[in-house]
Every structure is written in structure tokens, then in C-alpha cells.
Amino acid sequence: MRTSKVDWFQMNSLTSSSIFNIGDSTHIRASAKVIAIQREAELFLGREGNFKDYILFKRSYPLLTLKRIPTVKYNESNMIHVGSVRVTGASTSSVVQVGSTKDIKCYSRVKHIRQLLSDRREKEQGEREEG
């Protein structure tokens, strides 16, 4: 085990299942499922936010198969020393770490929907013209 020392660290934003870690860890798991609906008008249908309604959230995650490469490590010191770190932002299942990790798995699924009044008007106009 090593000691991690950071003299100065600034992070403006850390959101949505992200991890900030100073030090070593064995396993890191981060996951996020997000449905973001932006509407021009306040209209709530009552079924917003149901992950089952979108195939995106039903798909399996693709897993990487990594080939192990034999390595030999020699650490002259039991100390990880970092002078300064500035992070603007870490979002949606990301990891900011000073140290080492044996196993990291991060997942993220984002469905972003924009519903504009002009889209609705155009659809209604098309239905009237067809009918």
C-alpha cells in the first residue's frame, strides 16, 4: 500500500455517479442511467422516466477483453506525490484518481429528449392537412 499526497486540488464539478479518489483502491464501479427530457412548455404526461420504455437501457454493455501483459513494477517510494491538479469537470460515470486501481468498470447510458412546441405544431399541422 502506498500513501498519496496532493498539495493542491481544484474541481469545479463532479456529477452523475462519478468518483473522486485520492489513494489506491482495488475495485471501482460507477454506473449511471439518465433520461433527460427538455420541454419548451411545462407538460407532464405521468410516465416520464421509465427506463423500460427505451431499448437503449435494455441492451447489454459491451465488455472489453484485455490481454494481460506481464509487467514488473519497482516503486522507489511508497509515496505518490502530486503537486497540483485542476479538473474542470467529471461527469456521468467517470473516475478522477490519484493512485492506482486494479479493476475499474464504469457504465453510462443517457437518453436526451427535446420536445419543442414548434415540433408539436408541425405534427398537428401535418395531421390536419392529411385528414
Side-chain angles (χ1 to χ4, degrees):
M1 179 171 293
R2 295 178 291 175
T3 301
S4 298
K5 179 183 178 205
V6 178
D7 293 333
W8 183 87
F9 193 98
Q10 178 184 351
M11 180 179 293
N12 293 347
S13 177
L14 182 73
T15 63
S16 301
S17 190
S18 293
I19 297 167
F20 166 63
N21 185 40
I22 295 179
D24 295 343
S25 59
T26 304
H27 303 285
I28 292 179
R29 302 283 184 268
S31 180
K33 286 183 177 181
V34 179
I35 297 174
I37 301 174
Q38 285 183 306
R39 293 187 175 129
E40 216 171 350
E42 292 183 25
L43 172 67
F44 300 100
L45 305 175
R47 277 188 47 88
E48 285 86 1
N50 191 346
F51 293 117
K52 295 176 192 171
D53 291 344
Y54 302 98
I55 193 165
L56 169 71
F57 299 108
K58 296 176 186 176
R59 294 181 188 151
S60 61
Y61 289 101
L63 297 176
L64 295 174
T65 305
L66 302 175
K67 183 178 179 180
R68 285 218 172 266
I69 300 172
T71 58
V72 177
K73 299 177 192 173
Y74 175 73
N75 297 318
E76 290 183 20
S77 171
N78 285 339
M79 171 80 71
I80 296 173
H81 185 203
V82 177
S84 65
V85 177
R86 177 178 289 157
V87 176
T88 300
S91 177
T92 318
S93 232
S94 57
V95 177
V96 177
Q97 180 178 18
V98 175
S100 63
T101 299
K102 179 181 178 185
D103 182 39
I104 297 177
K105 289 185 182 174
C106 298
Y107 303 105
S108 175
R109 300 264 169 114
V110 177
K111 177 72 175 173
H112 195 108
I113 302 167
R114 289 192 178 114
Q115 296 174 341
L116 304 175
L117 291 176
S118 58
D119 293 343
R120 189 175 186 187
R121 282 189 217 116
E122 289 171 10
K123 184 180 178 185
E124 288 172 359
Q125 180 76 22
E127 289 173 355
R128 275 184 261 157
E129 290 173 0
E130 292 173 4

